[in-house]
Amino acid sequence: MVLHGKSEETCDIVLRQLNCFWPTVVDRQQMLCAVSRAIEKTVASYDASNTMYYLQSGFSVLNTTVYAVFLYHLAHIIGAGGAELADKLYYLNKIINCVEWYWNIELPEHFVVEHPVGTVLGKAEYGDYLCVFQGVTVGANFREMQCIWPVIGDHVTLYANSSVIGGCRIGSNVIVAANAFIFNEDIPDNSVVFGSSPGLTVRRCTADENRKMMIRMWKPGRG
């Protein structure tokens, strides 16, 4: 991925955006270091992907989808040293991109989104090579006062307005179709799931079918 902007420029933009909403005083050198690391993480994800809109445009604060992922990484990195600035960055991402990705969730090393408006990603366990589309919800269910979160495998794609809620185990190499609603159910590896719990339709895929589906999102040999 080509970098259309230096870390210093991105850092200045983030600080100006923060100060539009909250007076923010930071150690600029520490912030610049965190911005550089967040750009590296974002670039690593998109370099591994086949998402159609980003192969040429590269990292830019004007690419709002890539910028949303960058702001998550930045907040997550900053959060290791203190919550207040991380909270502001999370809130900034919510204001600008309308995403609910709190900074202390652990999204995977390779994480990309397309049209992420309205996505809510809770404190699930996420496998690597995750892709989500607009309106996706990953959330908890309460059982006897315990909060139960999904466990999601590697190479999972959650299409528009799909939901994974509660005590679910989503296998690896799984496509969750648009508008699917999975509640307290397990989905096996190498499958496509449609419909709504408790009446889900799960179609198992051959290795060749699975390869063709996954190449839509990720370059061959990734993961």
Side-chain angles (χ1 to χ4, degrees), residues 134-168:
Q134 66 268 27
V136 162
T137 299
V138 178
N141 182 39
F142 287 90
R143 293 180 185 170
E144 299 178 353
M145 302 305 294
Q146 287 189 323
C147 196
I148 309 298
W149 294 93
V151 176
I152 297 176
D154 296 335
H155 281 282
V156 171
T157 299
L158 303 171
Y159 277 101
N161 300 312
S162 61
S163 298
V164 180
I165 307 295
C168 304

Side-chain angles (χ1 to χ4, degrees), residues 54-113:
Y54 314 106
L55 297 180
Q56 300 299 323
S57 60
F59 179 84
S60 169
V61 297
L62 298 179
N63 186 325
T64 57
T65 299
V66 172
Y67 192 52
V69 175
F70 160 79
L71 284 177
Y72 158 75
H73 284 304
L74 181 59
H76 189 71
I77 292 165
I78 292 290
E84 183 177 346
L85 182 55
D87 281 345
K88 290 178 179 179
L89 289 163
Y90 146 76
Y91 198 174
L92 180 66
N93 207 5
K94 190 172 183 178
I95 291 168
I96 294 175
N97 297 305
C98 197
V99 296
E100 181 74 38
W101 309 337
Y102 195 55
W103 61 264
N104 67 354
I105 64 173
E106 293 286 344
L107 291 173
E109 180 180 356
H110 297 96
F111 164 63
V112 297
V113 295

Side-chain angles (χ1 to χ4, degrees), residues 12-209:
D12 289 340
I13 289 168
V14 170
L15 291 174
R16 287 199 298 271
Q17 290 173 338
L18 286 170
N19 278 288
C20 284
F21 299 99
W22 315 278
T24 302
V25 178
V26 301
D27 182 316
R28 193 180 186 284
Q29 191 57 42
Q30 290 181 356
M31 185 69 164
L32 182 59
C33 180
V35 166
S36 296
R37 288 174 58 199
I39 290 174
E40 289 174 2
K41 285 179 173 290
T42 305
V43 168
S45 287
Y46 279 96
D47 273 350
S49 79
N50 270 333
T51 49
M52 66 179 69
Y53 301 114
Y54 314 106
L55 297 180
Q56 300 299 323
S57 60
F59 179 84
S60 169
V61 297
L62 298 179
N63 186 325
T64 57
T65 299
V66 172
Y67 192 52
V69 175
F70 160 79
L71 284 177
Y72 158 75
H73 284 304
L74 181 59
H76 189 71
I77 292 165
I78 292 290
E84 183 177 346
L85 182 55
D87 281 345
K88 290 178 179 179
L89 289 163
Y90 146 76
Y91 198 174
L92 180 66
N93 207 5
K94 190 172 183 178
I95 291 168
I96 294 175
N97 297 305
C98 197
V99 296
E100 181 74 38
W101 309 337
Y102 195 55
W103 61 264
N104 67 354
I105 64 173
E106 293 286 344
L107 291 173
E109 180 180 356
H110 297 96
F111 164 63
V112 297
V113 295
E114 288 197 13
H115 321 300
V117 173
T119 58
V120 179
L121 302 179
K123 292 183 181 179
E125 181 180 326
Y126 297 96
D128 207 2
Y129 295 94
L130 173 69
C131 180
V132 301
F133 284 71
Q134 66 268 27
V136 162
T137 299
V138 178
N141 182 39
F142 287 90
R143 293 180 185 170
E144 299 178 353
M145 302 305 294
Q146 287 189 323
C147 196
I148 309 298
W149 294 93
V151 176
I152 297 176
D154 296 335
H155 281 282
V156 171
T157 299
L158 303 171
Y159 277 101
N161 300 312
S162 61
S163 298
V164 180
I165 307 295
C168 304
R169 282 192 167 269
I170 309 299
S172 294
N173 305 316
V174 169
I175 300 291
V176 180
N179 300 308
F181 179 79
I182 307 172
F183 180 71
N184 291 341
E185 292 195 54
D186 294 345
I187 306 299
D189 293 346
N190 305 309
S191 60
V192 181
V193 57
F194 307 86
S196 298
S197 296
L200 292 170
T201 298
V202 179
R203 183 174 70 82
R204 302 298 295 271
C205 301
T206 66
D208 187 57
E209 288 174 326

